[in-house]
Amino acid sequence: MTKTRVAVDVGGTFTDVCIMDEDTGQIRIEKTPSTPDDPMRAIMTGISDAGIDLADVTMFSHGTTVATNALITRKLPRAAMVCTEGFRDVVEIRRSNKEDLWDTYKDVAKPYIPRRDRLTVKERIDAAGKVIAELDEAEARRVAKILKKRDVKAIAVCFINSYVNGDHEVRMRDILRAEMPDVHISISSQIMPEIFEHERFSTTMVNAVVSPVVVDYVSRLGDKLAEGGYTRDLLLLHTGGGVMTPASVKDFAARLAGSGIAAGALASRFIGNLCGFENSIGFDMGGTSTDVSLCFQGNSTVTKDWYIEYGYPIRFPSIEVLTIGAGGGSLAWKDEGGSLRNGPQSAGAFPGPACYSNGNEVATNSDANVVLGRLGHSLAGGDITLDADLAEKAIRDTVAEPFGMELHAAAEAVIDVANANMANAVRLLSISRGHDPRDFALVAFGGAGALHGAAVAKELSIPVVIVPPNPGVTSAMGCLLVDIQHDFSDSFMADASQTSPEDLEAAFARIEKEAVDRLRHEDVSPENTVLQRTVEMMYQGQWRSLAVSAPATITSTEDLVRGFHDEHEREYNFRREDAPVSIFRVGVKATGVVQKAELPSFEVTPHAPEPASQRDVWFNGKSRRTDVFDRATMKAGAEFSGPAIVEQVDSTVVVPPGATAKIDQYMNILIRVKD
């Protein structure tokens, strides 16, 4: 019996299925058009088309956009919030800032839970955790009855100072469950026990509103897989770069709000490290957007400052990914100043680019690549036929005639604007953070990443572009490279000089017990359990903290403080040895190690590959006769020079003039780009 692992990544245009044979490491792929109204339909279609027997599947991992899309479209069930009296408007007051300080007319979006459904009860705990006023249980029961009449599907319980004492929130949850046993309830002391009330309230609110949507989706998908013979847990990729089981999704649904984009970042890091590059930039360009991630010294950058809509932070740890509206389906348009623009508007999965023949008449990046000869006559192994005449008409009507340009010059202009937008995104994640792109490799993947990767790399003087064996399903492959992972934290606000190792050990013992219990609940054996400690600290008077790794047994707080000074110098380029240091929080990353996918390695024999055909391709205003290679027939060690096109079922690789390419032992294409 063949044992297989299956990973599924749902994108805006395509749903990618990645199937790996456990014995050989051989990977095959299946792409099917996404079904935005119900992503599960595309998943099951892809499984069926790939001929997968779910009874033979030992692991099914899934990166989902369900939570993200629900928040973006606000197709959310009715939810409510229960707050301490006087604090119902914390999520509406926010931080009193705006995404664009200079745009007077652009307001921050309304909270996910409107004011009429944010109710209050009398209770008060002070900042030290002491009860000032007991929870008014009669008032709590009255609120529960009101919410039952309103037929809410989810409730967020957010009491002030519950981060240090969550007893009142727990009691409020019990009262609500007694009245409404089937309602999803999130309490802030469990979701995010941190001092800053807006971030805590916002994260809990987001967790509550997406819970019914996500739990329903996960339950339905799990049932469908079980009907087909799958007997293991469905694993769902979360923003922190690990996977969680349905049991954890019920409590921490908001961790899936950035699920899909994390998979690509993980795969990019893995491929960069595999090729010998500890520093790499992930460049995931799909049909509707481009996701940029950064790996420095072998580790992905992680942030807690992220959101789906500005003003409503989600403070779960997340791999840092910058997303811009630039994809194969991004529309070209003329702005009020008469300049050519590209995106963020997109033709989406349907109708898609004009060349898809589905009725769109506005030029897209894909249409420009067809006109320039960089794309052939079909995509997805022939499932999608590209109409060159419709692509030319769209470029002519949208760009060439309005700007008075020749057809191919107009198509190149569309591509140049798109490349400039994506290069700027890379700059924001690298140069603005103190990293020089010239010290990195660019891992180009996604359906369109390999089309544009070399041009973006040249713009930024990045010397090497890595194109994985299956760039179009690399994000799906990322789901095969992850462990079960959870992040736990607890407030610990104290002067570091007044804190003993025993105090910290006692704090870690509490959350490590919770971490071990969670992994045990998910059937992770003790030998596969790994706990990593961090202590977050700051100079006294600051409010931004930095996390420092802590040993399994803490013997000296001075060592931790010294580590904080080092980390502060690395992050901000200065340190203050004479300044007192405060401890802010202790955290534990709990990992259940899962056997990873391993890419097969091949013997490298340097040789010049034979092109499958030739065609005219436009570069820098000139038509060049260009070799076209079939990647399925290429072997490790193949070396060739640009201009060249490499076609495969899930993507197309462009090697521009002046660049050289080589296939390594893992079948990655390494493109050396010259300035």
Side-chain angles (χ1 to χ4, degrees), residues 7 28 119 155 210 220 397 422 454 532 567 581 587 640 655:
R28 61 189 179 93
L119 307 183
I155 302 172
V210 301
R220 289 191 299 116
D397 293 347
M422 292 183 287
Q532 296 170 280
E567 182 66 16
V581 174
F640 53 100
V655 182

Side-chain angles (χ1 to χ4, degrees), residues 193-215:
E194 294 185 10
I195 184 172
F196 299 114
E197 61 267 20
H198 171 54
E199 287 74 11
R200 177 161 50 89
F201 282 31
S202 173
T203 304
T204 307
M205 174 179 66
V206 172
N207 196 78
V209 297
V210 301
S211 285
V213 178
V214 171
V215 171

